[in-house]
Amino acid sequence: MLKKLFVFTVACFSLVLSFRCDRRPYGTTSPASASDGRFQLVVEEAEDNYIPDQLYVVKITETDGESRFSGFMVSAEGDIKPDPRNPRRYISLSPGELRPQNSMTAKYSERCPYSVEHAMASTKSFVKVYWQAPPPNSGCVTLHAMVSETQDIWFDSGAPLSQRLCEDMRQSDDVTPQLNYNCNICDEAKYEVCFTGIWSRNTHPLLYPENDWLPFYSDLIGASHSSEYILWAPGSFASSGFRELAEHADGSKMEAEIREKIGDGVRTLIKGKGHGYRKMGNPTYAFFRTDRVNHLFTVAVGFQPSPDWFLGVTRFELCQQNNTWMTERTLNLYPWDAGTDSGVSYESPNLETFPQDTISRVQMSTYDKKSPFYEMDIKDLNPFGKLHIRLIRTYHRRCKDDDDTKPEETTTTEEPTTTEENPLEPYEPSRYRSNDTTREVPLVTDPEADQDCPISQWQEWSPCDGSCDGGRLTGYRWRERYHLVDGVAVEKYDPNIDPTTLKEVPQYCKEHYDDFERNECEEECSDSNDGIDDFKRK
């Protein structure tokens, strides 16, 4: 019985694999001729792989300079794989979508799924149709072409009338690493995130707004959170607050939505100042905490003018597979579409998308000349911004199954490395942060603190760090303070204190009282004494 079942399963699988729709020319009874190489199918700009969701041009053309054809059909066929819910069944993965480029030359086929065919049997040397590549994780796709010279002389599939393309796994920099659902880091961590805008007339000249004072970035808004929380993600619908951010670069409503989830999937609200005219390239800084439950972070930046476009990363994993905190990462950011406005260019008039669409990558490689991405692949597009994430500090915490020994707090001190691949990497004040952790901390409680959340007074401001240009130094300064438990600064390392005697800072206090603050600063300087010229922004 098992043998018969196996034979039946294999037979069904072979039947699925060998299925082809009837691509014969209308009215013919003649079999297809063997391809003689005079006609070929080409996917422009694709070679042997495709970028998910990319729009491509598929071309059937003669190869000898003189041959002509009258009829054609192009079909897309996806990979076959076992159904994870029932291994005895097989499912077909998406092959993407074929559609006519010109309704006078091609139409959707009524005979075959995922196919287009000739609209008129006129003599031609080539024809073009569009192929929208399938979404990520769709495997390989085979494109087949049928070409007919006359009703009885036709060629079907096979080289060079077929091309197999597999998914290009080289993802954009702003695509998240694989999630770690078993994060077992007991230590908590503090991160610095820096957003620097790159969108400008020089980097993105096509259809850039004429008025230089119009473009601006919204505040950087986001959260550190657990794996159950989703602020935004490809394939999901934008919330009303997220819609305001994407369409109007206003993050206030989205900020309120995040605040409502603090303690319920959200650890820290992330917020950094947005920049506009003359300051578009200025870096924006924010800070957030992570732990073994809230080890992901999501951020977004709206930019105007645009229909509903934004930059950002979603559900970015900071807990690495070896259960250590990621120390540093620089990401290139490319535009996403919130799915709420159907405009195609920066200054398109408002055109509400109804019904609302899901969040997706902004349409690249489009053939709409009104789009700033006209005939442009994402791999050839300059990023619209950069995001730099840096581990500042870790706080040792006891796991529930640990013994009574609690190690001291550690501070990350390793200097990040600048690579030639990131020439636009912004100046980062955190590179020059003092690592002196032995200075005395006054234990005077800040009078503005809640009596249930005592915290030390702010320390003195650090010197202004930045680059000296024309006798003026523009940069940032920072200061710290420490949560107190029984009069002890528990998150400051002191070699004279037994770490097992220290108590935990209540979660409420961590979330409502910042212990790190940064401000912009400017002062006179001497170019000759500037010790950090190597890090001037170019």
Side-chain angles (χ1 to χ4, degrees), residues 60-72:
I60 299 176
T61 180
E62 48 77 23
T63 62
D64 58 4
E66 59 182 38
S67 296
R68 300 291 184 267
F69 60 96
S70 58
F72 71 89

Side-chain angles (χ1 to χ4, degrees), residues 2 32 52 57 90 113 131 152 162 194 197 215 218 255 262 276 304 359 384 392 396 404 482 496-497 523:
L2 289 177
V57 171
Y90 293 86
W131 174 55
D152 295 323
S162 289
C194 172
S218 74
E255 179 181 343
I262 291 179
Q304 285 289 300
I359 295 173
F384 276 55
I392 294 177
H396 280 293
D404 293 332
Y482 295 85
N496 299 316
I497 294 180
E523 60 185 40

Side-chain angles (χ1 to χ4, degrees), residues 123-420:
T123 302
K124 56 185 75 70
S125 61
F126 73 92
V127 68
K128 293 182 178 181
V129 299
Y130 288 136
W131 174 55
Q132 183 83 46
N137 303 314
S138 296
C140 299
V141 175
T142 303
L143 296 171
H144 302 279
M146 181 280 290
V147 177
S148 63
E149 288 187 287
T150 66
Q151 180 175 314
D152 295 323
I153 301 177
W154 59 286
F155 311 93
D156 184 25
S157 197
L161 289 175
S162 289
Q163 187 167 348
R164 182 173 174 81
L165 304 169
C166 293
E167 182 177 348
D168 189 340
M169 302 307 292
R170 297 171 297 174
Q171 297 175 319
S172 301
D173 287 348
D174 54 2
V175 176
T176 183
Q178 183 178 359
L179 297 189
N180 182 2
Y181 289 102
N182 297 306
C183 181
N184 291 315
I185 304 178
C186 300
D187 299 347
E188 296 182 4
K190 172 181 280 188
Y191 279 90
E192 172 190 77
V193 57
C194 172
F195 168 75
T196 304
I198 301 176
W199 182 42
S200 70
R201 191 180 305 281
N202 292 330
T203 57
H204 303 82
L206 185 59
L207 300 179
Y208 189 82
E210 287 294 327
N211 297 326
D212 288 332
W213 57 85
L214 285 181
F216 70 95
Y217 293 108
S218 74
D219 290 344
L220 174 73
I221 302 290
S224 61
H225 55 87
S226 67
S227 58
E228 285 76 28
Y229 178 77
I230 298 177
L231 178 59
W232 72 269
S236 67
F237 289 98
S239 66
S240 57
F242 199 90
R243 179 172 186 162
E244 288 294 312
L245 178 84
E247 290 191 9
H248 307 295
D250 181 357
S252 56
K253 190 172 183 179
M254 192 173 89
E255 179 181 343
E257 292 175 348
I258 296 172
R259 288 188 183 278
E260 291 179 358
K261 291 295 184 178
I262 291 179
D264 183 21
V266 170
R267 168 70 190 264
T268 309
L269 168 70
I270 300 173
K271 184 176 181 180
K273 184 180 179 181
H275 293 297
Y277 182 52
R278 294 189 181 277
K279 294 185 177 181
M280 289 282 286
N282 284 12
T284 293
Y285 294 90
F287 303 89
F288 61 91
R289 292 282 194 98
T290 61
D291 54 49
R292 66 188 303 177
V293 174
N294 306 287
H295 47 88
L296 308 176
F297 87 97
T298 298
V299 292
V301 177
F303 61 94
Q304 285 289 300
S306 80
D308 58 345
W309 302 341
F310 67 96
L311 310 174
V313 294
T314 179
R315 299 168 61 78
F316 194 92
E317 182 63 82
L318 295 168
C319 180
Q320 301 181 111
Q321 295 298 320
N322 61 356
N323 283 312
T324 61
W325 290 116
M326 181 181 291
T327 57
E328 189 174 19
R329 183 79 176 268
T330 299
L331 307 172
N332 291 318
L333 302 182
Y334 299 91
W336 293 88
D337 188 319
T340 60
D341 190 297
S342 298
V344 298
S345 189
Y346 302 125
E347 299 181 272
S348 293
N350 290 334
L351 183 62
E352 181 179 359
T353 302
F354 185 83
Q356 181 176 335
D357 204 350
T358 57
I359 295 173
S360 63
R361 183 69 77 183
V362 168
Q363 180 66 67
M364 297 290 164
S365 198
T366 174
Y367 287 83
D368 189 335
K369 293 185 177 181
K370 296 178 182 179
S371 169
F373 311 112
Y374 173 67
E375 294 187 332
M376 182 179 296
D377 290 343
I378 193 171
K379 61 187 178 183
D380 300 322
L381 180 67
N382 287 322
F384 276 55
K386 283 185 178 288
L387 202 69
H388 188 86
I389 307 106
R390 183 176 188 269
L391 178 64
I392 294 177
R393 193 175 180 186
T394 58
Y395 305 88
H396 280 293
R397 298 287 183 258
R398 278 194 295 256
C399 288
K400 292 182 181 179
D401 54 352
D402 280 356
D403 56 25
D404 293 332
T405 302
K406 179 180 178 181
E408 68 273 11
E409 171 199 324
T410 60
T411 303
T412 60
T413 60
E414 182 177 354
E415 293 297 313
T417 302
T418 303
T419 68
E420 293 181 0

Side-chain angles (χ1 to χ4, degrees), residues 103-118:
S103 60
M104 298 296 292
T105 60
K107 65 179 182 178
Y108 291 103
S109 175
E110 298 178 355
R111 298 185 291 166
C112 299
Y114 306 110
S115 301
V116 294
E117 60 184 344
H118 63 269

